[in-house]
Amino acid sequence: MIFLHDFEKLNSLILDNNNLNSHVKFPYLSSLETLWVNHNSICNLSVFIEMVAKSFPKLKFLSMMDNQAAPSYFNGGTYAQYKDYR
C-alpha cells in the first residue's frame, strides 16, 4: 500500500476483493473519510482496527462485508460477535 502515500488528499478508498489480511500496512492519510475493504481476508478485528485508527484519523465510514472479522447472521456469526463488530 506504499503507493497510497502520494494521495495526501484522498477522501475515499475502495479496496474490495484484494485479499487483504488483518496485518495490512496502510500509510498515514489524514483526509481519508471512507474505507471499503469488503470481500477480503481480514480475520482479526482488533489488529485491523488498530492499524486503521492510526492510519486514518478522520475515518467516518468503514465497510467490511464478507470478512471473517465482520460477523453477521449471513456468514455464520453469532449475535454477540455481531454486536462486538458494530
Side-chain angles (χ1 to χ4, degrees):
M1 299 289 154
I2 210 82
F3 68 92
L4 291 173
H5 76 333
D6 291 329
F7 297 97
E8 297 172 3
K9 297 184 188 234
L10 192 65
N11 184 275
S12 298
L13 179 60
I14 298 172
L15 294 171
D16 295 353
N17 296 301
N18 276 284
N19 203 31
L20 302 176
N21 64 41
S22 304
H23 300 280
V24 63
K25 303 278 191 242
F26 293 111
Y28 183 80
L29 296 173
S30 62
S31 62
L32 195 79
E33 294 181 352
T34 302
L35 176 63
W36 287 9
V37 290
N38 303 306
H39 311 287
N40 280 289
S41 299
I42 301 164
C43 59
N44 188 318
L45 185 60
S46 300
V47 169
F48 182 72
I49 292 300
E50 186 176 324
M51 180 59 67
V52 167
K54 288 179 185 175
S55 298
F56 313 126
K58 292 187 179 175
L59 194 69
K60 295 179 182 177
F61 305 102
L62 173 63
S63 182
M64 294 181 59
M65 293 186 301
D66 196 26
N67 281 283
Q68 187 178 356
S72 74
Y73 295 115
F74 302 110
N75 67 9
T78 66
Y79 180 70
Q81 290 172 321
Y82 172 76
K83 283 189 66 164
D84 285 346
Y85 166 68
R86 287 288 170 197

